[in-house]
Short mmCIF file of all heavy atoms in Angstrom, two decimals:
data_model
loop_
_atom_site.label_atom_id
_atom_site.label_comp_id
_atom_site.label_asym_id
_atom_site.label_seq_id
_atom_site.Cartn_x
_atom_site.Cartn_y
_atom_site.Cartn_z
N ASP X 21 -3.43 -2.22 11.66
CA ASP X 21 -4.74 -1.78 11.16
C ASP X 21 -5.52 -1.02 12.22
O ASP X 21 -6.07 0.04 11.97
CB ASP X 21 -5.58 -2.99 10.74
CG ASP X 21 -4.77 -3.98 9.95
OD1 ASP X 21 -3.93 -4.69 10.56
OD2 ASP X 21 -4.95 -4.07 8.75
N GLU X 90 -14.69 0.51 4.92
CA GLU X 90 -14.03 -0.78 5.19
C GLU X 90 -12.54 -0.47 5.17
O GLU X 90 -12.02 0.02 4.16
CB GLU X 90 -14.44 -1.84 4.18
CG GLU X 90 -14.26 -1.44 2.73
CD GLU X 90 -14.74 -2.51 1.76
OE1 GLU X 90 -15.88 -2.95 1.89
OE2 GLU X 90 -13.96 -2.89 0.87
N GLU X 117 -7.59 2.27 1.84
CA GLU X 117 -6.51 1.34 1.46
C GLU X 117 -5.23 1.58 2.27
O GLU X 117 -5.15 2.50 3.07
CB GLU X 117 -6.23 1.45 -0.03
CG GLU X 117 -6.99 0.44 -0.88
CD GLU X 117 -6.54 -1.00 -0.63
OE1 GLU X 117 -5.43 -1.18 -0.11
OE2 GLU X 117 -7.31 -1.92 -0.93
N PRO X 132 -14.39 5.04 -8.40
CA PRO X 132 -15.48 4.18 -7.94
C PRO X 132 -15.12 2.72 -8.20
O PRO X 132 -14.27 2.40 -9.01
CB PRO X 132 -16.64 4.59 -8.83
CG PRO X 132 -16.00 5.13 -10.07
CD PRO X 132 -14.69 5.75 -9.65
N SER X 133 -15.79 1.83 -7.49
CA SER X 133 -15.64 0.40 -7.71
C SER X 133 -17.05 -0.15 -7.92
O SER X 133 -17.88 -0.14 -6.99
CB SER X 133 -15.00 -0.24 -6.48
OG SER X 133 -14.87 -1.62 -6.64
N GLY X 137 -25.89 -4.37 -7.30
CA GLY X 137 -26.93 -3.79 -6.45
C GLY X 137 -27.01 -2.28 -6.59
O GLY X 137 -27.84 -1.65 -5.95
N GLU X 302 5.14 -10.86 -1.44
CA GLU X 302 5.57 -11.88 -2.40
C GLU X 302 6.45 -11.25 -3.46
O GLU X 302 6.23 -10.13 -3.87
CB GLU X 302 4.34 -12.52 -3.05
CG GLU X 302 3.56 -13.40 -2.08
CD GLU X 302 2.18 -13.76 -2.59
OE1 GLU X 302 1.83 -13.36 -3.72
OE2 GLU X 302 1.44 -14.42 -1.84
N GLU X 303 7.38 -12.05 -3.95
CA GLU X 303 8.31 -11.65 -5.00
C GLU X 303 9.07 -10.35 -4.65
O GLU X 303 9.42 -9.55 -5.54
CB GLU X 303 7.58 -11.45 -6.35
CG GLU X 303 6.94 -12.76 -6.83
CD GLU X 303 5.90 -12.52 -7.92
OE1 GLU X 303 5.40 -11.40 -8.01
OE2 GLU X 303 5.64 -13.48 -8.65
N LYS X 309 8.04 -0.84 -3.03
CA LYS X 309 7.35 0.16 -2.21
C LYS X 309 8.34 0.95 -1.38
O LYS X 309 8.20 2.17 -1.21
CB LYS X 309 6.32 -0.53 -1.29
CG LYS X 309 5.15 -1.11 -2.05
CD LYS X 309 4.12 -1.73 -1.14
CE LYS X 309 2.93 -2.20 -1.93
NZ LYS X 309 2.12 -1.13 -2.52
N ASN Z 16 -25.23 -4.92 -12.51
CA ASN Z 16 -26.55 -4.27 -12.50
C ASN Z 16 -27.25 -4.37 -13.87
O ASN Z 16 -27.70 -3.35 -14.42
CB ASN Z 16 -26.42 -2.81 -12.04
CG ASN Z 16 -25.75 -2.73 -10.69
OD1 ASN Z 16 -26.03 -3.54 -9.82
ND2 ASN Z 16 -24.84 -1.81 -10.53
N ARG Z 29 0.02 -3.77 -6.48
CA ARG Z 29 0.08 -4.45 -5.17
C ARG Z 29 -0.21 -3.44 -4.07
O ARG Z 29 0.41 -2.40 -3.98
CB ARG Z 29 1.46 -5.03 -4.91
CG ARG Z 29 1.92 -5.99 -5.99
CD ARG Z 29 1.49 -7.39 -5.66
NE ARG Z 29 2.14 -8.30 -6.59
CZ ARG Z 29 3.24 -9.00 -6.27
NH1 ARG Z 29 3.75 -8.90 -5.08
NH2 ARG Z 29 3.79 -9.80 -7.14
N SER Z 30 -1.15 -3.80 -3.25
CA SER Z 30 -1.47 -2.98 -2.10
C SER Z 30 -0.66 -3.54 -0.90
O SER Z 30 0.39 -4.14 -1.10
CB SER Z 30 -2.98 -3.04 -1.88
OG SER Z 30 -3.36 -2.33 -0.78
N GLY Z 31 -1.14 -3.37 0.31
CA GLY Z 31 -0.42 -3.91 1.46
C GLY Z 31 -0.72 -5.37 1.67
O GLY Z 31 -1.69 -5.92 1.13
N ARG Z 32 0.14 -6.04 2.42
CA ARG Z 32 -0.05 -7.45 2.81
C ARG Z 32 -0.40 -8.35 1.62
O ARG Z 32 -1.33 -9.14 1.70
CB ARG Z 32 -1.12 -7.60 3.87
CG ARG Z 32 -0.63 -7.24 5.24
CD ARG Z 32 -1.43 -7.92 6.32
NE ARG Z 32 -1.18 -7.22 7.54
CZ ARG Z 32 -1.91 -6.22 7.96
NH1 ARG Z 32 -2.95 -5.82 7.27
NH2 ARG Z 32 -1.61 -5.60 9.08
N ASN Z 33 0.26 -8.14 0.54
CA ASN Z 33 0.10 -8.97 -0.67
C ASN Z 33 -1.26 -8.82 -1.36
O ASN Z 33 -1.56 -9.56 -2.29
CB ASN Z 33 0.34 -10.46 -0.36
CG ASN Z 33 1.71 -10.69 0.21
OD1 ASN Z 33 2.68 -10.05 -0.22
ND2 ASN Z 33 1.83 -11.57 1.18
N LYS Z 38 -7.20 -1.91 -11.37
CA LYS Z 38 -7.87 -0.76 -11.97
C LYS Z 38 -8.29 -1.18 -13.37
O LYS Z 38 -7.50 -1.77 -14.09
CB LYS Z 38 -6.88 0.40 -12.03
CG LYS Z 38 -7.42 1.70 -12.59
CD LYS Z 38 -6.33 2.74 -12.50
CE LYS Z 38 -6.70 3.99 -13.23
NZ LYS Z 38 -5.60 4.97 -13.25
N THR Z 52 -12.53 2.26 -13.03
CA THR Z 52 -13.03 1.71 -11.79
C THR Z 52 -11.95 0.85 -11.13
O THR Z 52 -11.00 0.44 -11.80
CB THR Z 52 -14.31 0.90 -12.04
OG1 THR Z 52 -14.85 0.44 -10.85
CG2 THR Z 52 -14.08 -0.26 -12.97
N THR Z 53 -12.09 0.63 -9.84
CA THR Z 53 -11.10 -0.17 -9.11
C THR Z 53 -11.79 -1.33 -8.40
O THR Z 53 -12.95 -1.23 -8.00
CB THR Z 53 -10.40 0.69 -8.03
OG1 THR Z 53 -11.38 1.52 -7.42
CG2 THR Z 53 -9.29 1.50 -8.59
N LYS Z 55 -10.84 -4.79 -5.59
CA LYS Z 55 -9.86 -5.61 -4.87
C LYS Z 55 -9.57 -6.80 -5.77
O LYS Z 55 -10.47 -7.28 -6.51
CB LYS Z 55 -10.46 -6.15 -3.56
CG LYS Z 55 -10.82 -5.10 -2.56
CD LYS Z 55 -11.43 -5.82 -1.35
CE LYS Z 55 -12.18 -4.87 -0.47
NZ LYS Z 55 -12.99 -5.57 0.55
#
Side-chain angles (χ1 to χ4, degrees):
Chain X
D21 316 74
E90 53 183 52
E117 265 293 340
S133 179
E302 290 166 2
E303 298 165 338
K309 292 182 175 292
Chain Z
N16 304 319
R29 304 271 190 99
S30 178
R32 281 205 198 91
N33 302 322
K38 182 177 171 185
T52 184
T53 40
K55 295 178 198 169

